[in-house]
Amino acid sequence: METALAKTPEKRQVVFLTILLLLWEADCKTIRYSMPEETETGYLVANLAKDLGLKVGELATRGARMHHRGNKELLQLDAETGNLFLKEKPDREELCGATEPCVLHFQLILENPVQFFQTDLQLTDINDHSPEFPHREMLLKIQESAQPGTVFPLKAAQDPDIGSNAVQNYTVSANLHFHVVTHSRADGRKYPELVLDRALDREEQPELTLTLTAVDGGSPPRSGTTTVRIEVVDINDNAPQFVQSLYEVQIPENSPLGALVLTVSARDLDAGIHGNVAYSLFQGGEVSQPFVIDQVTGEIRLKGALDFEATTYYNMEIVAADSGGLSGKCSVAIQVLDVNDNAPKLTISSLTSSIPENVPEAVVAVFSVSDPDSGDNGRMVCSIQNDLPFLLKPTFENYYTLVTEGPLDRESRAEYNITITVSDLGTPRLTTQHTVTVEVSDVNDNAPAFTQSSYTLFVQENNSPALYIGTISATDSDSGSNAHITYSLLPTHDPQLPLSSLISINADNGQLFALRALDYEALQTFEFHVGATDQGSPALSSQVLVRVLVLDANDNAPFVLYPLQNASAPFTELLPRAAEPGYLVTKVVAVDRDSGQNAWLSFQLLKATEPGLFSVWAHNGEVRTSRLLSERDAPKHRLLLLVKDNGDPPRSASVTLHVLLVDGFSQPYLPLPEVSRDSLQDSEDLLTLYLVIALASVSSLFLLSVLLFVGVRLCRRARATSLGGCSVTEGHFPGHLVDVSGTGTLSQGYQYEVCLTGDSRTTDFKFFNPIIPSGLFQDP
């Protein structure tokens, strides 16, 4: 993801320069200080906090740092006091060389918020170096034919100081033949020339020795000397002359050693040995230049590595001398061409390795880039990957800020590896990469989520207490304590449901337990909500519906509704002897409180007085005759029926039925309606009371008419022996008794008999079919 500076080649440069200028003018403040070189260590340069208008201690609280951008760490900042001290003694010549003015650039970087200040330190030159000639002795060979006024070049002295502290004047020791003239080059440097004042005579004086002195303009001035030895030679009237007085050439800085730079050429019109020309480097000597010249051919070759970033130009003087001592001179200007041999450099000033999620914009890193190359080779483009939610923002002077593009989501991605790529625009492009790892710290922004939208749990009834019935599970995409979930039962709105006594939940893992045994017949299903809450701040929660279904267990035996069982008065059905096979004697009605297959009932005849006479339908409980009745059949039959459910294991109940065979009945006996055990007992108690009253009345009649009473009793005893001794009474069934077999209520008038047997301790109350009005069975 490149910044706006790298979108198009032309627009990138304009936008880059515009942004830098605007940021420089808006946000950057430049503070300039000046001091002489060679100042002692610990020197107080200034109070930076005061000059910046900051409070005492604000530099420390804002993490002030000095960035030297490749310079030596000359300055040391005391962030607490704001004082700026000199860390080591500065040498202007070492730091700047011949560059004037010598200005060192430093940057002060503040954080919270990020702010930049430019600090410039100018070092002024002091006269701490004396002029120095390249050789302790110079040899001049001058023909004796030389005319007064002839000028002989001399090698200049070197002085690292600049300005008035550099070499200003040359003098020569007193003599009769020469004086020295000081000249200035285009760059302001001084060089000497020896002028002949009086003709030489080799025979009179073949050699002269002079002392050449170079004096600088310092206060006090410094000087350096060298010996000039002059040999007077025979006449050689033609000096060598170069084809060009100035040679200009360009050479790439990555040229290999021994590469040919230039070939110079000079001619001498003399003949013989006076016409042979020898080439040599004149100005500065061979040891100070990365070049060497062939004395015979004049080829200048590279003998040392070039570095455009250190030196961009070389100016040399080449001397061509013949054997007679005459010489000519030319200048060679060599320009070093920059090649893209330096990869960009990235320096991290501030780095944040962890960023909270959901922050709109956070500063990840502050860094600077630099490239010592020139032109396009030094122009740089910064970029990061396109698929990351981060941006590079340029500040000023190749400083960038890496910020988030918007809020981050740790649940989507918890870590980012951001590769910052810095490329120059040279050919070929050189690239530097630096990877920054950013971790996204968690914020509690996700509520727990249940694995199901609702839960349905099944519990068999009659369970043991503290039975595990299921697990409610929720997940939280946050991390750490924000993802730690606690489960709880939420209050119900149903006051009839005692949830706290039915269910408990493990707060740590969501396991549900039944606290007590459940009864399907009392509670078949119930619902409640489970809440899941994380431990974040603030805590987030969610809830889910849990439905518990109680499964039926076969824990209830069938219950016989009809016929009602009474040990003291067994139920008796009347069966006419003329009944056809399949005649419905009665119907057994039973229910089961269980459900499903546990409530499916079947009926079975277990025992009968005559097994082949009656049968029971297995599914509806109807008791029917299996064959025709005969005179040989007993008048009274006892049937034992079994009612069984379909559970596992099955449960059952039995019912005893008495059937009395009678003659002359044409209609089947209607079964008693369903009554409760308590109502039947009350009816029997009331009937007993009626019988007692009847006995009292009979006793009264007995006292009044003993004979009649004795006759009646004898008659009844005789009938009781043969027919059970029954008396016929007319009455009605109570109106609240209904027919459970579905034949309707018993609303019509019936007659019934009360049979009192002599050997019975209880009263048998039996219902018979309606007595036919013809009076066939009337009591005489």
Side-chain angles (χ1 to χ4, degrees):
M1 181 169 51
E2 296 191 356
T3 61
L5 301 180
K7 290 186 178 176
T8 62
E10 295 79 14
K11 290 172 124 185
R12 181 169 56 245
Q13 300 178 12
V14 175
V15 173
F16 180 80
L17 294 176
T18 303
I19 292 176
L20 286 184
L21 289 175
L22 290 176
L23 290 174
W24 181 268
E25 294 176 2
D27 295 335
C28 180
K29 299 179 181 179
T30 302
I31 303 175
R32 299 184 184 275
Y33 300 105
S34 177
M35 62 181 296
E37 65 172 333
E38 301 298 332
T39 302
E40 292 297 326
T41 302
Y43 174 77
L44 176 60
V45 180
N47 187 289
L48 196 56
K50 181 178 180 182
D51 294 341
L52 294 177
L54 301 176
K55 298 179 181 179
V56 175
E58 187 174 354
L59 293 177
T61 58
R62 294 182 62 184
R65 299 188 308 278
M66 293 295 295
H67 181 61
H68 301 274
R69 296 183 58 191
N71 297 325
K72 296 179 67 175
E73 295 185 7
L74 295 177
L75 300 179
Q76 182 176 5
L77 176 63
D78 187 350
E80 296 294 336
T81 62
N83 290 332
L84 190 64
F85 297 97
L86 193 61
K87 190 173 183 181
E88 65 178 74
K89 183 186 296 186
D91 187 354
R92 190 203 66 79
E93 287 73 23
E94 180 184 353
L95 295 174
C96 298
T99 303
E100 179 65 15
C102 179
V103 179
L104 304 179
H105 302 285
F106 304 89
Q107 286 77 38
L108 175 65
I109 304 175
L110 300 180
E111 298 178 355
N112 302 321
V114 176
Q115 194 171 5
F116 300 86
F117 297 92
Q118 179 72 35
T119 304
D120 293 344
L121 177 62
Q122 180 176 354
L123 296 179
T124 58
D125 185 48
I126 64 173
N127 192 22
D128 57 340
H129 294 85
S130 298
E132 184 177 355
F133 288 90
H135 300 284
R136 298 180 62 182
E137 183 181 285
M138 287 186 288
L139 176 63
L140 293 180
K141 294 181 179 181
I142 302 176
Q143 292 182 350
E144 62 179 348
S145 61
Q147 298 298 317
T150 303
V151 177
F152 302 93
L154 299 174
K155 293 183 179 180
Q158 304 297 322
D159 192 341
D161 295 327
I162 61 173
S164 61
N165 294 327
V167 176
Q168 299 295 322
N169 189 30
Y170 290 90
T171 61
V172 69
S173 60
N175 65 92
L176 298 175
H177 297 278
F178 298 93
H179 73 274
V180 171
V181 178
T182 303
H183 296 282
S184 297
R185 292 192 178 93
D187 57 359
R189 291 185 296 169
K190 309 293 185 180
Y191 65 94
E193 287 184 341
L194 191 63
V195 181
L196 183 61
D197 295 331
R198 180 181 174 183
L200 299 172
D201 186 359
R202 182 180 179 280
E203 288 71 21
E204 178 182 351
Q205 189 177 4
E207 185 175 300
L208 288 81
T209 299
L210 306 176
T211 298
L212 180 63
T213 301
V215 182
D216 61 23
S219 179
R222 291 174 177 263
S223 62
T225 61
T226 186
T227 300
V228 179
R229 188 164 59 88
I230 301 172
E231 292 182 358
V232 182
V233 298
D234 288 335
I235 294 176
N236 182 20
D237 55 353
N238 289 290
Q241 291 184 350
F242 282 92
V243 177
Q244 297 176 226
S245 61
L246 176 63
Y247 289 86
E248 294 180 337
V249 68
Q250 295 178 336
I251 179 173
E253 63 173 327
N254 62 346
S255 299
L257 298 180
L260 177 63
V261 179
L262 177 67
T263 300
V264 296
S265 176
R267 294 180 300 172
D268 194 323
L269 299 179
D270 293 326
I273 60 173
H274 296 300
N276 294 331
V277 177
Y279 301 96
S280 64
L281 294 175
F282 182 74
Q283 179 61 35
E286 295 185 10
V287 294
S288 61
Q289 303 286 351
F291 305 99
V292 64
I293 188 169
D294 189 289
Q295 294 182 358
V296 178
T297 63
E299 292 179 348
I300 301 176
R301 294 185 178 272
L302 188 63
K303 73 169 184 177
L306 300 178
D307 188 0
F308 173 85
E309 289 71 37
T311 306
T312 58
Y313 289 93
Y314 289 93
N315 291 311
M316 300 185 300
E317 291 182 349
I318 308 299
V319 174
D322 58 19
S323 59
L326 297 180
S327 62
K329 184 177 66 173
C330 73
S331 297
V332 177
I334 301 176
Q335 180 183 4
V336 180
L337 298 179
D338 182 38
V339 295
N340 195 22
D341 59 344
N342 292 282
K345 181 181 179 182
L346 186 146
T347 303
I348 299 291
S349 299
S350 175
L351 177 63
T352 302
S353 59
S354 180
I355 296 177
E357 64 177 332
N358 299 335
V359 176
E361 180 175 314
V363 177
V364 178
V366 177
F367 63 92
S368 62
V369 295
S370 60
D371 193 326
D373 293 325
S374 64
D376 288 341
N377 297 332
R379 295 187 179 94
M380 295 162 290
V381 174
C382 287
S383 63
I384 60 176
Q385 302 98 306
N386 290 325
D387 57 345
L388 298 181
F390 295 90
L391 293 175
L392 281 178
K393 291 186 176 181
T395 54
F396 81 101
E397 279 205 356
N398 293 334
Y399 271 89
Y400 290 85
T401 302
L402 177 63
V403 299
T404 57
E405 188 175 18
L408 302 179
D409 186 10
R410 190 204 64 82
E411 289 70 38
S412 300
R413 188 168 179 178
E415 182 179 279
Y416 293 90
N417 290 319
I418 308 169
T419 300
I420 304 174
T421 302
V422 185
S423 301
D424 59 26
L425 302 181
T427 303
R429 282 194 172 193
L430 298 181
T431 300
T432 297
Q433 290 185 335
H434 184 85
T435 300
V436 175
T437 300
V438 177
E439 295 182 354
V440 183
S441 59
D442 186 45
V443 173
N444 192 26
D445 56 348
N446 291 279
F450 288 93
T451 56
Q452 298 178 209
S453 59
S454 63
Y455 290 83
T456 301
L457 306 179
F458 299 91
V459 183
Q460 190 82 19
E461 69 171 330
N462 301 325
N463 57 282
S464 59
L467 176 68
Y468 167 75
I469 62 175
T471 300
I472 307 301
S473 178
T475 59
D476 196 318
S477 54
D478 293 322
S479 64
S481 61
N482 295 333
H484 184 73
I485 298 176
T486 301
Y487 300 90
S488 62
L489 297 177
L490 300 182
T492 61
H493 300 291
D494 186 4
Q496 303 298 325
L497 180 63
L499 184 62
S500 60
S501 64
L502 293 177
I503 299 296
S504 70
I505 188 169
N506 189 313
D508 296 326
N509 54 27
Q511 293 181 349
L512 290 172
F513 299 89
L515 296 179
R516 60 181 175 84
L518 301 178
D519 186 3
Y520 172 82
E521 289 72 31
L523 182 64
Q524 298 180 359
T525 181
F526 59 94
E527 296 179 349
F528 58 93
H529 286 84
V530 171
T533 306
D534 59 30
Q535 302 301 314
S537 179
L540 301 179
S541 62
S542 58
Q543 63 181 16
V544 68
L545 175 66
V546 179
R547 181 181 295 105
V548 178
L549 301 180
V550 182
L551 301 180
D552 182 42
N554 192 24
D555 58 343
N556 291 281
F559 178 76
V560 178
L561 296 177
Y562 181 82
L564 296 175
Q565 297 296 294
N566 190 340
S568 60
F571 185 84
T572 302
E573 286 284 359
L574 297 182
L575 175 64
R577 290 184 176 272
E580 297 291 331
Y583 180 83
L584 176 62
V585 179
T586 186
K587 181 176 182 179
V588 178
V589 180
V591 296
D592 195 319
R593 294 181 61 192
D594 295 322
S595 64
Q597 67 178 10
N598 295 331
W600 297 350
L601 301 181
S602 61
F603 301 87
Q604 180 181 357
L605 180 62
L606 290 182
K607 188 177 180 181
T609 303
E610 293 188 15
L613 180 58
F614 300 97
S615 64
V616 177
W617 286 26
H619 299 295
N620 57 14
E622 292 181 352
V623 180
R624 296 180 180 270
T625 57
S626 300
R627 59 177 175 81
L628 290 173
L629 299 175
S630 66
E631 293 296 333
R632 295 193 301 266
D633 291 328
K636 190 173 183 180
H637 294 265
R638 181 176 179 273
L639 305 180
L640 179 61
L641 285 82
L642 178 68
V643 182
K644 183 174 64 175
D645 60 24
N646 198 35
D648 185 17
R651 292 178 177 269
S652 62
S654 61
V655 58
T656 301
L657 178 66
H658 292 269
V659 179
L660 183 65
L661 302 182
V662 296
D663 295 326
F665 283 84
S666 60
Q667 295 293 331
Y669 170 69
L670 294 178
L672 280 174
E674 178 185 2
V675 294
S676 64
R677 186 175 182 90
D678 295 338
S679 299
L680 180 61
Q681 185 67 35
D682 294 339
S683 299
E684 290 178 353
D685 294 340
L686 185 61
L687 180 60
T688 302
L689 178 61
Y690 291 158
L691 290 177
V692 170
I693 296 175
L695 289 175
S697 302
V698 171
S699 299
S700 300
L701 293 174
F702 173 74
L703 295 176
L704 296 177
S705 179
V706 176
L707 293 177
L708 182 60
F709 175 78
V710 172
V712 171
R713 294 293 295 174
L714 291 176
C715 180
R716 292 196 177 192
R717 285 180 183 272
R719 291 190 60 183
T721 303
S722 59
L723 298 177
C726 298
S727 63
V728 180
T729 310
E730 183 176 351
H732 295 81
F733 284 104
H736 65 277
L737 297 179
V738 294
D739 182 12
V740 295
S741 64
T743 57
T745 59
L746 303 177
S747 58
Q748 62 199 54
Y750 279 87
Q751 288 185 347
Y752 53 90
E753 295 180 349
V754 178
C755 300
L756 300 175
T757 59
D759 56 350
S760 240
R761 296 183 181 179
T762 59
T763 302
D764 291 337
F765 182 62
K766 300 179 181 179
F767 291 96
F768 289 82
N769 287 331
I771 298 178
I772 301 174
S774 61
L776 294 177
F777 295 96
Q778 290 181 357
D779 192 355

